[in-house]
């Protein structure tokens, strides 16, 4: 489970702490370099990745701590 300040999983109804960032874009509406993000706990990473992957939207799956480090510098 997550505390009140931790990022939480994007899966519907899940309140677990996010561990993964799923970077994606919809090529029909986003420029190629644009990245939207979903957060995933360990239990939902594969399901959310498959959902985005089947649609051709998934671009990258990165640990949340690595994503945050990239953003910082």
């Amino acid at each position: 489970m997550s505390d009140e300040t931790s990022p939480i999983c994007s899966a519907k109804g899940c309140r677990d702490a996010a561990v993964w960032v799923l970077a994606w874009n919809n090529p029909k509406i986003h420029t190629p370099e644009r990245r939207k993000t979903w957060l995933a706990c360990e239990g939902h990473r594969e399901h959310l990745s498959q959902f985005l992957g089947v649609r051709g939207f998934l671009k990258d799956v990165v640990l949340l701590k690595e994503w945050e480090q990239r953003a910082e510098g």
Side-chain angles (χ1 to χ4, degrees):
M1 281 292 191
S2 66
D3 65 38
E4 293 291 320
T5 61
S6 297
I8 61 166
C9 181
S10 297
K12 185 176 181 178
C14 185
R15 304 300 298 165
D16 288 348
V19 179
W20 298 94
V21 174
L22 286 64
W24 63 278
N25 83 3
N26 179 341
K28 292 182 180 179
I29 59 174
H30 301 125
T31 59
E33 67 279 353
R34 173 94 188 264
R35 293 295 180 265
K36 306 271 292 175
T37 57
W38 281 358
L39 302 177
C41 65
E42 285 292 346
H44 287 111
R45 182 187 60 83
E46 187 63 32
H47 171 75
L48 293 174
S49 294
Q50 287 179 353
F51 181 89
L52 292 168
V54 163
R55 290 156 180 79
F57 294 175
L58 186 63
K59 303 300 178 193
D60 202 6
V61 179
V62 181
L63 284 168
L64 177 59
K65 60 185 170 186
E66 290 177 22
W67 186 267
E68 291 172 337
Q69 289 171 349
R70 288 182 189 179
E72 290 173 0

